[in-house]
Amino acid sequence: LSSFDIEKGELLYPQSRPLYIPLERNSTTTMFTRFSASAGRVAARSLATRSVVVPNMARSLSTVGDAATISDALKFSGYSDIDFTIKESAPVYDAVQKFAAYNIGCLVVTDEAGNMTGIVSERDYISKIALLGRTSKETPVKEISTQGANIVTAVVDETVDSCMAKMMAKGIRHLPIVDNDKTVVGMISIKDLVATVVKEKEDTIKVLSDFALGKGGHYGSE
């Protein structure tokens, strides 16, 4: 595939051949915009006057596809502004009240010192209380919560794809977010991850559209 000299604004291929300018290339997809020879000359001169250095196009485009992380997903989390913890000694009834009050489906279970000891969800209530005929007001949260090695967590800089893979592998819908000291700093649901992916795709489409339409000298500029 022939190319052109951006700094000189000159085409380096026979004038009768079409020019293909790569807009994005990654491991899964490749997109190209096709220009005629005359359109290619215009694009070359236009790009030569901009601040972007096209030989670094691959590097610049790689920033468009930077993987979204949990820090991005937390912006969509409905757990950000609420107390999503409950003491392990509290009755299950208290957990159910929080589920209903905050319209959520999972809580982090803690000990008296505030350390995470487990996770309790609506599914736990249904399968371990309602179906077994137990009383939620007399059963402590600790008895129905998921504990120990069965707890699946994520860290703030972990990618959304990685967290989705964890959820799919374990058949779960929520992940507690911990810092380097294993302290819980947040909670995300599968809905938060989906919202993050959708936003990421929308941003990518806008950046590529802006570039294709010649808006600004760098990706995503107006």
Side-chain angles (χ1 to χ4, degrees):
L1 182 65
S2 299
S3 60
F4 55 88
D5 189 325
I6 294 304
E7 294 182 357
K8 296 181 180 179
E10 297 177 356
L11 297 175
L12 304 179
Y13 60 89
Q15 305 238 340
S16 60
R17 294 180 61 188
L19 169 66
Y20 291 85
I21 297 180
L23 290 185
E24 179 180 14
R25 179 184 293 274
N26 55 37
S27 60
T28 57
T29 181
T30 302
M31 299 175 60
F32 291 90
T33 296
R34 180 177 181 176
F35 290 89
S36 65
S38 59
R41 288 193 295 273
V42 173
R45 296 191 188 99
S46 176
L47 287 171
T49 63
R50 297 179 180 177
S51 60
V52 65
V53 180
V54 174
N56 292 331
M57 180 181 289
R59 177 186 60 78
S60 299
L61 278 172
S62 68
T63 62
V64 175
D66 285 346
T69 64
I70 291 306
S71 60
D72 299 312
L74 285 173
K75 299 174 185 176
F76 297 96
S77 177
Y79 290 85
S80 300
D81 302 320
I82 65 172
D83 176 14
F84 53 85
T85 64
I86 190 166
K87 291 288 191 295
E88 60 184 5
S89 59
V92 173
Y93 182 78
D94 289 356
V96 174
Q97 283 187 312
K98 277 197 170 184
F99 292 152
Y102 295 133
N103 193 29
I104 56 177
C106 189
L107 293 170
V108 171
V109 181
T110 62
D111 58 20
E112 294 303 321
N115 301 313
M116 180 175 66
T117 61
I119 296 291
V120 64
S121 69
E122 292 174 318
R123 291 180 178 179
D124 292 322
Y125 169 75
I126 294 172
S127 61
K128 300 173 184 178
I129 297 292
L131 290 180
L132 297 180
R134 302 170 72 180
T135 305
S136 62
K137 291 184 178 181
E138 298 177 358
T139 306
V141 169
K142 182 178 181 179
E143 292 188 9
I144 70 168
S145 63
T146 299
Q147 302 177 33
N150 292 322
I151 302 175
V152 182
T153 63
V155 293
V156 174
D157 59 354
E158 193 165 346
T159 65
V160 168
D161 288 345
S162 172
C163 291
M164 282 188 166
K166 286 182 178 181
M167 289 184 173
M168 292 294 291
K170 296 294 184 178
I172 56 180
R173 298 174 296 167
H174 300 84
L175 283 178
I177 310 304
V178 298
D179 60 16
N180 294 331
D181 297 323
K182 303 301 180 181
T183 300
V184 178
V185 296
M187 175 91 83
I188 57 167
S189 68
I190 186 64
K191 292 189 296 183
D192 303 327
L193 298 184
V194 171
T196 304
V197 171
V198 170
K199 179 65 166 58
E200 181 185 25
K201 300 306 180 186
E202 289 175 345
D203 289 345
T204 299
I205 291 171
K206 182 180 186 305
V207 168
L208 295 177
S209 297
D210 284 352
F211 179 75
L213 295 174
K215 292 185 179 180
H218 61 277
Y219 295 97
S221 64
E222 297 299 333

